[in-house]
Amino acid sequence: MTTTNKSNHEPIQLIGVQNEQLVVNPEGLKYLNGLKERAVAVISVVGLYRTGKSYLLNRIIDQPIGFAIGGSVNACTKGIYIWGDPIIFQTASGEKINLILLDTEGINAIDQDETHNLKIFSLSVLCVDT
């Protein structure tokens, strides 16, 4: 596995929450549309809220401050975020692909209901299964 240095060391919101509805962020969509030069592979981290999903992704990208993390019981991530630069990954066959990382809002957050949880989970699975 090989990676390249990233120039945009921050996440971009891909899916936001407005008035209890999930909406696509135009900046996130623009970012994805710009990834046409290579095939894309996606890693999406999904799980219960406050269980270290953002921390795990920060470890993967080797950034001490990347995806937002916090020290309270309140969720930090709302919606779905994508890392601001693809990781250029070389496969075993030598093909270079864009590896993108998705950080998702935690399931069973105290301020969300089952329907919201299902939407976030479903969207993250659909993003990986492309």
Side-chain angles (χ1 to χ4, degrees), residues 33-122:
N33 285 331
L35 297 176
K36 295 180 180 177
E37 63 195 50
R38 293 185 185 91
V40 173
V42 180
I43 295 175
S44 180
V45 179
V46 180
L48 296 174
Y49 85 106
R50 306 298 306 143
T51 56
K53 294 173 298 302
S54 301
Y55 175 79
L56 174 64
L57 287 168
N58 288 342
R59 298 293 296 187
I60 290 171
I61 59 175
D62 197 24
Q63 296 289 320
I65 302 173
F67 291 99
I69 57 174
S72 74
V73 296
N74 297 319
C76 294
T77 305
K78 297 291 185 184
I80 300 175
Y81 283 78
I82 188 169
W83 186 243
D85 275 323
I87 298 168
I88 308 305
F89 180 84
Q90 186 169 331
T91 66
S93 65
E95 177 187 12
K96 289 186 178 179
I97 63 172
N98 289 319
L99 178 64
I100 59 174
L101 305 175
L102 298 180
D103 188 19
T104 63
E105 182 174 346
I107 296 170
N108 290 338
I110 56 178
D111 60 342
Q112 297 300 342
D113 63 15
E114 294 284 325
T115 302
H116 182 81
N117 294 334
L118 183 59
K119 289 177 184 177
I120 291 290
F121 180 80
S122 298

